[in-house]
Amino acid sequence: LPSYLTGEFPGDYGWDTAGLSADPETFAAYRETEVIHARFAMLGALGCVTPEILDATNNVPWFKAGALIFSEGGLDYLGNSSLIHAQSILAVLGFQVVLMGLIEAYRVSGGPAGEGLDSLHPGEAFDPFGLADDPDTFAELKVKEIKNGRLAMFAMFGFYVQAIVTGEGPVANWKAHIADPEGVNGFTEVFATRFVPGN
């Protein structure tokens, strides 16, 4: 085990064959980046599955859901026009850039964490359910967060590959696989030869 990986951080099991965490400052930056990406991936994985599950959205796969904003009448989030009824891609894009820019600037500059609080897990006002009150439970939740986040990052990669290879969303792929596990999987000839030159 590398001497610089002491196991003090959640998800640190002493594996760093490339030595990417040897410098403490770099390690802190990578740790923060991983946690933030893990959180976005967990939200993204849920966001990829949700529109395909809901009948209100006509079970549209995630990679086609955004294009609905260009359809007649715009895009209703979660199939409900009273939630958000988006009709302008420029307005949505601008709103997202401004909101995410402000949120990220706030987080990077210290944000609401206050004095002596961890910027990744601030607790206090950001823990209304008191999940961090017990240090042992909090440590366990941090490990669960990073493990689930790492899994979600791989899931998102799988969703991207599935969309490119099959042209369907994850729920449709799952249903097809459950109906015929031997005939519909990642190793069948149908999928393995889809992007062979000449097809």
Side-chain angles (χ1 to χ4, degrees):
L1 296 176
S3 59
Y4 51 85
L5 293 179
T6 60
E8 69 175 298
F9 296 111
D12 171 13
Y13 299 106
W15 183 62
D16 184 22
T17 54
L20 298 173
S21 304
D23 176 44
E25 288 182 19
T26 304
F27 181 50
Y30 285 161
R31 177 178 165 263
E32 181 177 349
T33 301
E34 181 184 31
V35 171
I36 297 299
H37 280 81
R39 290 173 181 168
F40 279 129
M42 288 187 281
L43 290 171
L46 178 64
C48 286
V49 173
T50 301
E52 200 172 351
I53 291 174
L54 295 178
D55 290 332
T57 62
N58 296 323
N59 307 102
V60 66
W62 65 270
F63 54 89
K64 293 181 180 177
L68 294 177
I69 198 168
F70 299 114
S71 65
E72 186 72 29
L75 172 67
D76 296 329
Y77 280 78
L78 300 176
N80 187 342
S81 60
S82 62
L83 281 175
I84 296 176
H85 182 67
Q87 294 182 309
S88 168
I89 189 68
L90 294 176
V92 170
L93 181 64
F95 193 69
Q96 287 181 342
V97 167
V98 168
L99 271 183
M100 288 305 299
L102 290 172
I103 290 168
E104 281 297 296
Y106 192 50
R107 183 186 64 80
V108 169
S109 66
E115 293 296 318
L117 295 178
D118 183 357
S119 62
L120 291 176
H121 306 95
E124 292 187 359
F126 290 91
D127 185 20
F129 298 114
L131 298 174
D133 291 347
D134 178 35
D136 293 333
T137 303
F138 189 39
E140 182 181 339
L141 290 173
K142 286 180 182 180
V143 172
K144 287 180 179 181
E145 177 187 38
I146 198 65
K147 283 183 174 182
N148 283 294
R150 289 171 178 168
L151 180 63
M153 287 187 274
F154 275 106
M156 288 302 301
F157 178 71
F159 290 168
Y160 299 147
V161 172
Q162 272 184 319
I164 291 168
V165 173
T166 68
E168 295 179 332
V171 175
N173 284 182
W174 173 76
K175 287 180 179 178
H177 174 70
I178 293 300
D180 182 14
E182 292 179 11
V184 181
N185 59 59
F187 302 106
T188 57
E189 184 178 346
V190 174
F191 298 116
T193 60
R194 179 164 177 156
F195 291 106
V196 171
N199 285 348

